[in-house]
Amino acid sequence: TAGTITAGATLLHEKGAKEVYACATHAVFSPPALERLDSGVFQEVIVTNTIGLPVDSYFPQLTVLSVANLLGETIWRVHDESSVSNIYT
């Protein structure tokens, strides 16, 4: 619901932060997450496309990063019997 991360961002602004960014792997925007994330406390909200988002879930600060290359490379390495862990080094 984005309550904790929004409260943290608000506190950071109160303590003098000029910009606050939020990052998450999966964009599970359970109500009222969209309203909180789009409230203006975040400079940018960055998520991956591991979960499809309806068009009405997008807001100006939202950036969605693709995991396609990472998944493709992982599949190739498994098929090729190469190291998957080397992707992350």
Side-chain angles (χ1 to χ4, degrees):
T1 62
T4 302
I5 198 165
T6 302
T10 301
L11 181 61
L12 288 169
H13 281 292
E14 289 171 3
K15 297 293 183 179
K18 296 186 185 340
E19 296 179 350
V20 178
Y21 295 80
C23 302
T25 304
H26 310 293
V28 181
F29 293 152
S30 301
L34 287 175
E35 293 79 13
R36 290 176 174 166
L37 295 171
D38 190 27
S39 66
V41 296
F42 298 103
Q43 180 72 23
E44 187 174 14
V45 176
I46 305 165
V47 298
T48 65
N49 65 346
T50 56
I51 297 175
L53 285 177
V55 175
D56 62 345
S57 293
Y58 284 77
F59 51 95
Q61 300 88 351
L62 182 65
T63 298
V64 180
L65 302 177
S66 175
V67 296
N69 288 338
L70 178 63
L71 291 176
E73 181 67 22
T74 301
I75 291 167
W76 173 252
R77 286 174 183 251
V78 169
H79 174 75
D80 194 45
E81 298 181 10
S82 300
S83 172
V84 173
S85 63
N86 282 343
I87 294 173
Y88 307 104
T89 58

